[in-house]
Amino acid sequence: MRGGTAVRAAVVMAVVLGAAGCDTGDGGTSAAPSVTVRAEDLGPVTKASAQAEIDAAAADAGAPAGDPDWAKMTASRCGAGYRGYGTEGEKVDPGRYEAVVGELRERGWQPSGEAPERKDENGTVQIAQKVFTKRGWTLTAEFQGFETGLISVSAADKACIDEIRDRVPLPVQSAPSAGGTEGQ
């Protein structure tokens, strides 16, 4: 399994979002439109338009083809995503990741944060992560330089996620009492 903890976290998110049942905004289909969506589009971001932008950004940046098994697994109603693995013949590097990030910016995704890059003992970037927003959606782009490298992009509709939270109440834990006055 590549990426260890990151992969497990992504799988958990995909399962939760996939089972959630939010409206997709695209009639329930998962096929991406054939038109490349650009930043000039000021309409609402839908699952289909987010997926089209992600796919087009990866393709225009020359990133590896998306993993179809990953696409099926992450085909949630609240989100869209891409995962491309390098090969022994053509490894994915931080430059390719930055090209994908640049393409996302061209499509109107606004930077909203990033994690510090993690580098190996030689100073080579091994992990990079940036977060973007666009009209109610949050997108995370990640690079992992281990083995042959991978680029992962995941986007989620905040309103859809909030709807899930409203429908699936989380248990509230009460704080332990201070001073040990229980039972007095």
Side-chain angles (χ1 to χ4, degrees):
M1 179 185 278
R2 293 184 175 169
T5 304
V7 169
R8 285 189 295 277
V11 168
V12 169
M13 182 178 164
V15 170
V16 169
L17 294 178
C22 291
D23 180 32
T24 63
D26 66 357
T29 64
S30 60
S34 60
V35 177
T36 300
V37 180
R38 290 302 208 180
E40 298 85 44
D41 170 26
L42 298 177
V45 177
T46 65
K47 176 184 172 178
S49 68
Q51 187 66 58
E53 289 180 4
I54 292 167
D55 291 342
D60 290 354
D67 178 352
D69 292 333
W70 176 258
K72 287 178 193 172
M73 184 178 69
T74 60
S76 76
R77 296 182 184 262
C78 293
Y82 158 86
R83 177 165 278 199
Y85 298 98
T87 63
E88 285 300 322
E90 190 171 340
K91 295 185 178 187
V92 174
D93 63 10
R96 184 67 55 215
Y97 164 74
E98 288 298 334
V100 171
V101 166
E103 290 291 335
L104 290 166
R105 285 185 179 130
E106 283 186 28
R107 288 164 174 80
W109 291 92
Q110 298 297 311
S112 66
E114 68 184 272
E117 291 180 340
R118 294 187 198 165
K119 299 179 180 181
D120 64 15
E121 61 277 353
N122 298 320
T124 303
V125 174
Q126 292 298 310
I127 298 176
Q129 184 181 61
K130 296 181 181 184
V131 179
F132 300 85
T133 59
K134 183 175 180 179
R135 297 190 303 275
W137 282 67
T138 300
L139 179 145
T140 302
E142 183 176 6
F143 166 77
Q144 294 182 20
F146 308 107
E147 298 177 22
T148 58
L150 92 94
I151 296 171
S152 177
V153 180
S154 300
D157 178 0
K158 184 180 179 328
C160 184
I161 300 295
D162 289 346
E163 181 182 320
I164 293 168
R165 284 193 192 120
D166 291 344
R167 285 192 287 150
V168 183
L170 298 175
V172 177
Q173 294 180 338
S174 59
S177 62
T181 59
E182 294 180 55
Q184 291 183 6

